[in-house]
Amino acid sequence: MEQETNRVEAFSDGVFAIVITILVLELKVPEEQGSALWHGLWEQWPHYAAYLVSFLIIGVMWVNHHTIFSHLKRVDRPLLFLNLLVLMVVSVIPYTTNVLAEHLTDGESANVAAILYSSWTVVYALAFLGFWWYVTQVGHLFHEKVDKEGARATRVRFGLGAVAYPLTVLLSFFSAPLTLVAHFLIALYYAANQIPIPLVVEEERLESAGDLRK
């Protein structure tokens, strides 16, 4: 069963790697020549900004995904499908990123692009929350070292994205650039403030070992 867990994580890592590579492929080489190349490079700043934000978002997703699987000793069929749902959502991010980058400075369509980008992050947040909710609900997929009740207690904090990302949808109606900044700040928060999965404290393990010796 541990081999099955490693297989699922390896497949997921491959999808994350492909998706994060597709992001950079959307950065186009400017057509300008000579000194005009500087202007061409500057004109693409929306693509650079969107790439940076989406790269950070996907990177944080991967870190959280890896953290969860490092605490699992087995997988089951529902978890496999929930994992596929998460990967499906992640694989669409390069598309929403490109749409936002292409229209970020277009006054008529910038808000629509920002709404699409933000709405998809809401879908991601709900998909990942459902994934984590199932893992903590069944409990039997965890390693014995994991404090299952403590893991369940992290649900509310883990689901903050389901509250923060809908707010970015509202912001998208007013300013696409500010929406991108908001996503950047949310990603920074999750990157710097990872949610630890509680483990059974060492004292409890020592007491259990002492009881066995008696």
Side-chain angles (χ1 to χ4, degrees), residues 84-158:
L84 284 175
L85 177 62
V86 170
L87 297 179
M88 182 198 74
V89 175
V90 171
S91 65
V92 179
I93 292 179
Y95 168 72
T96 59
T97 300
N98 195 38
V99 172
L100 180 60
E102 288 286 344
H103 299 277
L104 188 61
T105 57
D106 187 347
E108 297 183 358
S109 57
N111 297 109
V112 176
I115 291 171
L116 171 66
Y117 187 87
S118 297
S119 298
W120 197 249
T121 60
V122 174
V123 175
Y124 150 71
L126 293 176
F128 213 99
L129 180 59
F131 178 87
W132 179 238
W133 191 278
Y134 177 77
V135 170
T136 55
Q137 180 65 32
V138 295
H140 66 275
L141 304 177
F142 280 123
H143 283 292
E144 289 78 5
K145 65 180 180 180
V146 175
D147 181 355
K148 297 178 178 60
E149 290 301 322
R152 292 188 182 101
T154 67
R155 288 172 175 173
V156 174
R157 188 179 171 199
F158 200 92

Side-chain angles (χ1 to χ4, degrees), residues 16-201:
F16 276 105
I18 293 172
V19 170
I20 215 165
T21 302
I22 292 175
L23 278 179
V24 74
L25 296 180
E26 297 298 336
L27 299 178
K28 307 301 182 183
V29 177
E31 297 180 356
E32 288 82 358
Q33 301 292 328
S35 60
L37 180 59
W38 288 110
H39 177 73
L41 290 170
W42 170 251
E43 286 294 311
Q44 293 198 36
W45 74 263
H47 289 270
Y48 306 145
Y51 165 79
L52 174 63
V53 174
S54 292
F55 187 98
L56 185 58
I57 289 174
I58 296 174
V60 173
M61 291 181 190
W62 175 78
V63 170
N64 285 333
H65 188 274
H66 172 72
T67 300
I68 291 174
F69 268 89
S70 67
H71 290 76
L72 299 182
K73 67 177 181 179
R74 62 173 63 93
V75 295
D76 60 9
R77 190 175 180 83
L79 184 65
L80 290 177
F81 282 106
L82 287 170
N83 188 64
L84 284 175
L85 177 62
V86 170
L87 297 179
M88 182 198 74
V89 175
V90 171
S91 65
V92 179
I93 292 179
Y95 168 72
T96 59
T97 300
N98 195 38
V99 172
L100 180 60
E102 288 286 344
H103 299 277
L104 188 61
T105 57
D106 187 347
E108 297 183 358
S109 57
N111 297 109
V112 176
I115 291 171
L116 171 66
Y117 187 87
S118 297
S119 298
W120 197 249
T121 60
V122 174
V123 175
Y124 150 71
L126 293 176
F128 213 99
L129 180 59
F131 178 87
W132 179 238
W133 191 278
Y134 177 77
V135 170
T136 55
Q137 180 65 32
V138 295
H140 66 275
L141 304 177
F142 280 123
H143 283 292
E144 289 78 5
K145 65 180 180 180
V146 175
D147 181 355
K148 297 178 178 60
E149 290 301 322
R152 292 188 182 101
T154 67
R155 288 172 175 173
V156 174
R157 188 179 171 199
F158 200 92
L160 287 178
V163 177
Y165 289 126
L167 295 178
T168 65
V169 176
L170 296 178
L171 182 59
S172 299
F173 284 91
F174 302 98
S175 174
L178 284 181
T179 300
L180 192 60
V181 172
H183 282 289
F184 178 70
L185 295 176
I186 293 172
L188 277 183
Y189 168 79
Y190 278 113
N193 189 24
Q194 293 295 314
I195 301 174
I197 298 177
L199 303 179
V200 177
V201 296

